[in-house]
Amino acid sequence: MQTADENQTAKANLVSALKAFLREEQVTTNQTILELHSKDESYHTPSLPDIVVFPMTADEVSGIMKLAQQYQVPVVPFGVGSSLEGHAIPYEHGITVDFTLMNKVLEVREEDFLVKVQPGVTRSQLNKELKKYGLFFPVDPGADATLGGMAATNASGTTSVKYGVMRDQVLDLEVVLADGEMIHTGSMAAKSSSGYHLNGLFVGSEGTLGCFTELTLKVYGIPEFTMAGRAIFKTVDDAVGAVVGILQAGIPIARVELVDEESIHQVNLFSETSYKVQPTLFLEFHGNEAGLQQDVNFMKDIVADFNCDGIEFETDNAARNQLWEARHNLAYAFVHGNPGKKLMVTDVCVPISELAGAVNHARQGLQTLGLTGGLTGHVGDGNFHALLMLDLSNQEEIKKAEQFNEWIVMYALERGGTCTGEHGVGIGKQKYQEKEHGKALLVMEKIKAALDPNCILNPNKIVKTKGQ
Amino acid sequence: MQTADENQTAKANLVSALKAFLREEQVTTNQTILELHSKDESYHTPSLPDIVVFPMTADEVSGIMKLAQQYQVPVVPFGVGSSLEGHAIPYEHGITVDFTLMNKVLEVREEDFLVKVQPGVTRSQLNKELKKYGLFFPVDPGADATLGGMAATNASGTTSVKYGVMRDQVLDLEVVLADGEMIHTGSMAAKSSSGYHLNGLFVGSEGTLGCFTELTLKVYGIPEFTMAGRAIFKTVDDAVGAVVGILQAGIPIARVELVDEESIHQVNLFSETSYKVQPTLFLEFHGNEAGLQQDVNFMKDIVADFNCDGIEFETDNAARNQLWEARHNLAYAFVHGNPGKKLMVTDVCVPISELAGAVNHARQGLQTLGLTGGLTGHVGDGNFHALLMLDLSNQEEIKKAEQFNEWIVMYALERGGTCTGEHGVGIGKQKYQEKEHGKALLVMEKIKAALDPNCILNPNKIVKTKGQ
């Protein structure tokens, strides 16, 4: 054990070593900057890093990692801090690596439908660049997260029912490992059966196996024609049943979001819309005009079988944008409607046949516990969220909210689902890892130990570090 | 070192132990059965296992693995032996685990678009069962492989441009690990951000990390309408250019296969067709009728820009089947046309912008080396094969063929491609692993060592085993 004085000296030496290696202004212990890197967008308790560094190249990240090894200090990668489970909160302190300065779109290979980006590029920044080529990047988690962060948590969102999740888009990562070595996890080939699938392993590893310094991602042609619509139902069961019917009919949906009454109410308040306060599906279809017209006609027959109270479509760009903005603003609507409170979002994903039951069970949980919250879901994937606004000074409320989260998670796990569909484990879902993965968690621990034996990479996230 | 006598005694003891644990008829050292498990469909040199076992349950597989650990004997899983790179050839001998008796479709959850199968189920067997539900499983590597084997090699084939590869279909695997423990790598949720992505790691691990005893796979609704066609071009460049144009236009292709002149010639001989001997695209589209008509009209404009010499479409089931049968029979056409010879199939995948160059370079390689072979490709993915028939008694021919393989692989790797798009590493692509993966190969070796420290699982496949 080091004394406090020895700790201070070691830290000062590390800061000097970092400043000698990087430029002075890339290394800071400024209190305000430390505080900015102590939290994310969730209710999880903040914790300060000792030092924040702003690398500009992969070589710099490698050098930082080697110093961290030398000083045996944790390293936590940081994007824009939009995560919801405390992934980037440095509970063991140490160095936070902020990727803000590594924010270049390096290459657009339009014939190959791929781009190379640095980890600090945000998805809106990428889409702005891609638009020039008639291309787009589909993964849309709501927040304007960095692509490095989205890869680290395997983010997804509204479009994964058609385009897949973040992991499906990653062709290659340049990764700086715990020992400072740099590897590539894939190639520019659209598919490969060569070696173990390191792409898949590193995506979703939440900074516990390495820091991403470059990403090669799939991109897509902007669809010729897009239709968006809203369908209103009497019950959540009807809305979910309609989605299953649409999927079984083979109608390719690009987005399908369930928004419950409470959430519609918040949307109306925030976005000044006057949507009917009923369980609603927000839908989007991508394709050609003739095909979509045929699909939509077929779909109208299907939703009618599920007591649909009304369905409206928009093909006009402005109207479509307004509709999706309303959906996107849902979390902000809750935040806006509850000043001073912090957001907790649950995130289970269940087999779609279990979704209506799970949503009803969640609603019942809110009522039983006397909590207020909205329910919304990426219905095509069986993933849904409860949005709760918490008063962090009210311990009883927090306890109830955590009870509610457990209520939802246990229901999902017992039905073959997962405790997190898209937000990741971080600190919030760690206690469910053993229940979800059983002995597979030992395999994860072995992988972590093999690749980061001194456990300096985002310690105690995803898997608990033995002996720490 | 054990003497030969000690070896024989140890083997006899292991056979007795296996027979005591399983039923007598599930364990064999019969020479004919051993020979059936000594080879695959490729030119790779056969090698006999010591023992072949036929488990019926995961518990039996676990027991076999525990005995293998006790006796320190290799374990090699075996499906139908349709692999092309020697994956299942037991060069270190030991126990081959044949999954023939684990061939049940366990559950079809139609609302959830998933099935649970045992590893010995073949893809045609699964599709026959799924048809009753209006569903199908898209991955189609040509051979009627087992789903366990397809997952072990991350197989793909003609439909991956639309539906993805084997890895994209696997939601969960039940795996027996090296120590006999059983884990699940995923869940029934359509997506998850919980823990390390073990699904992706185990898919494509070629029996080196565990034996699969159950697979949960995504399935799809049979498309409402299907069109198939052939488009004929003057050059490979034009054919590939047309595909890029079609993809960039956002037209969703379900299959697009390039077949070169030599291959068309073999198809005509074998399938008694009279297709024009020119570079040809075999195409398929899935969707609704109105949408496909619009897509096809658009596509006709695009291919015209690439000097298309003719395009014909079939919507009739029988005509479509004839067309795809001709494509599917391509490998058999070569085998049939060259009695007594064995098949070598190259398998690189390159960024699509490099595909025309790679195919031309391969053709040039064949000419330079004086070899005869057909070229065919899953053009939408940038994956192509050269099919060569080898006289295994002709050492010079084998040497030339291996030179040719290297010629193709090096070209692909230098352009950001992979040495194997879909066949896997096995024994044939091991020498290219370091060139392709660089230091990432050390990460793979660490994972192998962490999960199979005694290296009993299909030793010396994918990664070389240290100290063996």
Side-chain angles (χ1 to χ4, degrees), chain A residues 5 21 68 102 131 137 146 168 203 231 253 271 286 294 357 413:
Chain A
D5 272 0
F21 171 66
M102 292 180 72
K131 207 174 175 183
F137 183 71
T146 63
D168 300 314
V203 174
I253 315 182
S271 299
H286 297 170
Q294 186 175 332
L413 293 183

Side-chain angles (χ1 to χ4, degrees), chain B residues 166-312:
Chain B
M166 196 64 194
R167 189 174 277 125
D168 300 313
Q169 320 307 331
V170 173
L171 291 173
D172 182 33
L173 296 170
E174 183 182 73
V175 182
V176 173
L177 299 172
D179 58 5
E181 286 286 2
M182 265 181 267
I183 63 163
H184 278 264
T185 58
S187 71
M188 290 195 291
K191 65 182 195 184
S192 175
S193 286
S194 183
Y196 298 145
H197 191 49
L198 299 185
N199 275 341
L201 180 65
F202 279 85
V203 175
S205 65
E206 304 184 0
T208 65
L209 300 179
C211 285
F212 308 157
T213 49
E214 191 181 307
L215 299 89
T216 302
L217 303 169
K218 285 188 206 172
V219 294
Y220 298 80
I222 293 174
E224 185 193 328
F225 195 74
T226 298
M227 287 180 85
R230 278 184 310 117
I232 298 163
F233 295 86
K234 290 194 174 53
T235 66
V236 164
D237 291 60
D238 280 339
V240 173
V243 173
V244 171
I246 293 166
L247 291 172
Q248 281 183 329
I251 298 174
I253 314 183
R255 290 172 159 165
V256 54
E257 297 290 301
L258 172 70
V259 186
D260 83 340
E261 296 97 316
E262 177 60 31
S263 303
I264 290 283
H265 174 66
Q266 291 287 346
V267 163
N268 280 341
L269 283 178
F270 184 76
S271 298
E272 296 178 0
T273 44
S274 51
Y275 296 147
K276 259 197 168 175
V277 182
Q278 276 182 239
T280 302
L281 294 177
F282 285 52
L283 296 146
E284 191 167 288
F285 301 85
H286 298 170
N288 67 38
E289 189 166 357
L292 289 196
Q293 292 294 0
Q294 186 175 333
D295 280 342
V296 163
N297 288 337
F298 189 8
M299 209 195 75
K300 283 180 179 167
D301 292 343
I302 296 169
V303 296
D305 288 345
F306 292 90
N307 312 308
C308 180
D309 275 347
I311 181 162
E312 278 171 36

Side-chain angles (χ1 to χ4, degrees), chain A residues 109-113 153-154 156-157 160 165 167-168 177 181-184 187-198 200-201 204-206 208-209 224 244 247-248 288-291 294-295 349 351-354 378 381 383 415-425 433 436-437 439-440 443-444 446-448 450-451 462-463, chain B residues 109-113 153-154 156-157 160 165 167-168 177 181-184 187-198 200-201 204-206 208-209 224 244 247-248 288-291 294-295 349 351-354 378 381 383 415-425 433 436-437 439-440 443-444 446-448 450-451 462-463:
Chain A
R109 291 177 61 127
E110 45 183 321
E111 274 197 27
D112 295 320
F113 298 91
T153 54
N154 189 31
S156 47
S160 59
V165 301
R167 188 173 278 126
D168 300 314
L177 299 172
E181 286 286 5
M182 265 181 268
I183 63 164
H184 278 263
S187 71
M188 289 195 291
K191 65 181 195 182
S192 175
S193 286
S194 184
Y196 298 146
H197 191 51
L198 299 185
L201 181 65
S205 65
E206 303 183 1
T208 65
L209 300 178
E224 185 193 328
V244 172
L247 291 171
Q248 281 183 328
N288 67 37
E289 189 164 358
Q294 186 175 332
D295 279 342
C349 187
I352 197 167
S353 64
E354 300 284 356
H378 311 309
D381 307 314
N383 181 208
R415 281 152 188 85
T418 175
C419 69
T420 169
E422 56 183 13
H423 295 167
V425 177
Q433 291 299 288
E436 176 162 348
H437 300 295
K439 286 174 185 159
V443 172
M444 297 180 199
K446 284 181 186 174
I447 292 170
K448 168 75 174 171
L451 301 190
I462 299 187
V463 293
Chain B
R109 291 176 62 126
E110 46 183 321
E111 275 197 29
D112 295 319
F113 297 91
T153 55
N154 189 29
S156 45
S160 59
V165 300
R167 189 174 277 125
D168 300 313
L177 299 172
E181 286 286 2
M182 265 181 267
I183 63 163
H184 278 264
S187 71
M188 290 195 291
K191 65 182 195 184
S192 175
S193 286
S194 183
Y196 298 145
H197 191 49
L198 299 185
L201 180 65
S205 65
E206 304 184 0
T208 65
L209 300 179
E224 185 193 328
V244 171
L247 291 172
Q248 281 183 329
N288 67 38
E289 189 166 357
Q294 186 175 333
D295 280 342
C349 185
I352 196 167
S353 64
E354 300 285 355
H378 311 309
D381 307 314
N383 180 209
R415 281 152 188 85
T418 176
C419 69
T420 169
E422 56 183 13
H423 294 167
V425 178
Q433 291 300 288
E436 176 161 347
H437 300 295
K439 286 173 184 160
V443 173
M444 297 180 198
K446 283 180 186 175
I447 292 170
K448 169 71 176 175
L451 301 190
I462 298 187
V463 293

